Amino acid sequence: MNLFRNLLFWIVLALLGALVAQLLLQDPGRVVITYGGYDYLTNVPKALLMLVGGLIALWLVWKALSLPFVAMRRHRKKQARARLIDGLDALHQGHWTRAEKSLAQAARSRDVAAIAAVGAARAAAARGDAAAQAQHLDAIAADHPVARALAAAEQALAEERAGDALAALDAPAAQPLPPRGLALRAQALAALGRAGEAYGLLGALRQNNAWPSARLGRLEAQWAEAALREAADANVLADLWESLPKPLKNEPAAVAAYAERAAEMRWEEAAAKSLEQALDARWDESLAALYGRLPIGRLDARRAQAERWLAGHPGSPGLLLSLARLARMQGQWPQAEAYLHRALAQGAGSEAWEELGHGFAQAGDESRARLSYLNALRAARGEAPSELPGRDLRQKLFDEAVVEERDEFGMPRLRG
């Protein structure tokens, strides 16, 4: 198709040229040029040929005069690219001084100034010369503000100066930010305790493919959890929770963050309901333990719910620990102690020993309280705890005995 178009174009051009030539030959006309008291007579075709010839001669003269300058410019470009390649290779290999020198020389060429100056700044930062790093970046501030902002923000984040990184990225000259800039800005916001704003950038990050989808998924969970914990008031917390995707509302970290923040705000029903819904959807030991640890009321309702769960999860150490906490807060230490011994037999760790120590201390049993606290420390360190006195074989066997858990099809569940 392109060949046919080109052929048609040249045919039409040839026909037009032939038509113009025929018209000029039929009536060549006359051209009179007066200069210095003399008249020069010629016809139109000759005058046109002379004009074209003069223009070609001027073009040849211009080319001949500019040839040395063109050659010098090409030589400089070739030299700058060679220095750029050598500098980037040295930077990759860790030869910081050689890399900085080659890249600084390459940065004198406007074609590669941005990438060369950024590389030179990285080399200077790697050898610990902050002044040289700033000098390299300031040299491209006017012509390449975005490149400068990205390099400055990246280095600031590496040095844990999130405020400086955000200031560099929010500079008016650096707008609009490219995908890399959006990613760095989100990181800076999260590091500054503004995870809610970082979470709000996820849509733009996904649209621009700033990170792989797997990393974006991990960051979404992290920033959602942090944003829930940073919520300034109940309205912000509720709006953020409602905006979360449904899978995130069942993630233990996000659910725990929401429940704990709601409890801090005295939003007791929301805190308890979020845990109950998450545990009904998918059982999680950390959430089961948190259910009894939440600093809220509703003791009777929570204990009734925990006892209903116990029928389906009799060997859950987290749930047994929650039941023990709830029973102790209700003033029922014997039941709490029984739950704690069962929890320890099912694999509960230092938290259960510490709770056992609190209960013995309240009951006035100082010797067993001290031993329980000591066992809590040992369990936290991975050491074997000492056995509490006063427990006979029948009690120990009862603690370890667990009703077999079965799923909805009647098949035994494997214990985690």
Side-chain angles (χ1 to χ4, degrees):
M1 191 67 181
N2 289 335
L3 178 62
F4 175 74
R5 288 177 180 174
N6 292 335
L7 183 61
L8 183 62
F9 170 75
W10 287 111
I11 290 174
V12 171
L13 187 63
L15 290 175
L16 288 175
L19 180 61
V20 171
Q22 186 178 2
L23 291 174
L24 291 175
L25 290 174
Q26 287 178 357
D27 185 11
R30 186 174 64 172
V31 178
V32 180
I33 301 174
T34 302
Y35 181 74
Y38 295 96
D39 292 336
Y40 300 95
L41 300 176
T42 185
N43 55 31
V44 174
K46 289 182 179 180
L48 290 175
L49 288 174
M50 291 172 63
L51 178 62
V52 172
L55 292 174
I56 292 174
L58 288 174
W59 180 78
L60 291 173
V61 171
W62 168 253
K63 281 293 183 181
L65 292 174
S66 62
L67 189 61
F69 301 100
V70 173
M72 289 175 61
R73 187 164 58 251
R74 287 177 179 172
H75 176 69
R76 284 197 299 269
K77 286 184 178 181
K78 186 177 179 180
Q79 221 174 19
R81 287 171 183 167
R83 287 170 178 162
L84 177 66
I85 294 170
D86 178 68
L88 291 176
D89 185 56
L91 183 65
H92 180 66
Q93 296 182 21
H95 300 295
W96 312 126
T97 303
R98 179 162 67 89
E100 184 182 0
K101 182 179 178 181
S102 296
L103 292 169
Q105 291 174 344
R108 297 171 188 169
S109 174
R110 294 178 62 87
D111 295 337
V112 296
I115 188 171
V118 168
R122 288 175 179 167
R127 63 182 184 81
D129 192 341
Q133 177 194 6
Q135 184 179 0
H136 291 307
L137 293 180
D138 290 343
I140 60 170
D143 296 331
H144 304 281
V146 176
R148 180 195 181 281
L150 295 181
E154 188 175 22
Q155 185 60 36
L157 283 174
E159 297 173 357
E160 298 183 355
R161 294 183 289 108
D164 293 340
L166 189 62
L169 293 168
D170 285 346
Q175 307 307 314
L177 289 175
R180 177 63 178 155
L182 292 173
L184 291 171
R185 190 171 190 275
Q187 287 179 295
L189 288 169
L192 288 170
R194 296 161 62 180
E197 295 177 59
Y199 186 84
L201 291 174
L202 281 169
L205 293 172
R206 282 198 175 92
Q207 186 178 2
N208 289 280
N209 295 318
W211 278 315
S213 57
R215 184 176 182 184
L216 280 170
R218 291 193 301 271
L219 290 174
E220 180 180 23
Q222 292 174 12
W223 291 343
E225 178 189 356
L228 289 168
R229 295 190 183 279
E230 295 167 6
D233 54 54
N235 291 330
V236 174
L237 181 64
D239 291 342
L240 182 57
W241 180 251
E242 290 301 322
S243 69
L244 292 184
K246 188 174 181 179
L248 264 183
K249 290 184 178 181
N250 291 325
E251 281 297 317
V255 175
Y258 174 75
E260 289 175 349
R261 188 60 179 142
E264 291 173 2
M265 296 178 178
R266 302 301 178 191
W267 201 2
E268 298 187 355
E269 185 175 357
K273 288 294 183 184
S274 63
L275 288 175
E276 291 166 2
Q277 290 171 0
L279 286 168
D280 286 337
R282 185 177 66 187
W283 189 259
D284 181 81
E285 285 297 318
S286 64
L287 295 183
L290 177 62
Y291 190 68
R293 194 173 63 244
L294 280 179
I296 60 175
R298 305 178 80 250
L299 297 179
D300 294 336
R302 281 196 288 163
R303 185 171 177 181
Q305 177 61 59
E307 287 172 347
R308 284 193 292 270
W309 282 329
L310 190 61
H313 304 275
S316 169
L319 181 58
L320 290 167
L321 179 57
S322 284
L323 279 166
R325 285 185 171 125
L326 293 169
R328 186 171 70 84
M329 285 187 285
Q330 288 178 316
Q332 300 173 6
W333 170 237
Q335 293 91 329
E337 182 184 359
Y339 282 131
L340 287 171
H341 286 300
R342 286 178 61 185
L344 288 168
Q346 302 307 319
S350 60
E351 278 190 273
W353 282 113
E354 186 176 357
E355 182 65 23
L356 201 58
H358 295 335
F360 283 136
Q362 287 180 356
D365 192 340
E366 295 184 3
S367 61
R368 287 203 286 180
R370 285 195 297 269
L371 183 56
S372 298
Y373 288 136
L374 180 60
N375 282 339
L377 291 174
R378 287 172 176 168
R381 295 171 182 170
E383 301 173 3
S386 301
E387 187 174 343
L388 283 174
R391 301 286 294 172
D392 58 28
L393 182 60
R394 184 181 62 82
Q395 291 173 314
K396 294 177 184 178
L397 291 175
F398 176 78
D399 294 338
E400 294 178 0
V402 176
V403 178
E404 186 177 58
E405 297 182 43
R406 293 180 178 270
D407 60 18
E408 62 272 20
F409 303 106
M411 299 297 294
R413 285 195 181 100
L414 294 176
R415 293 182 60 187

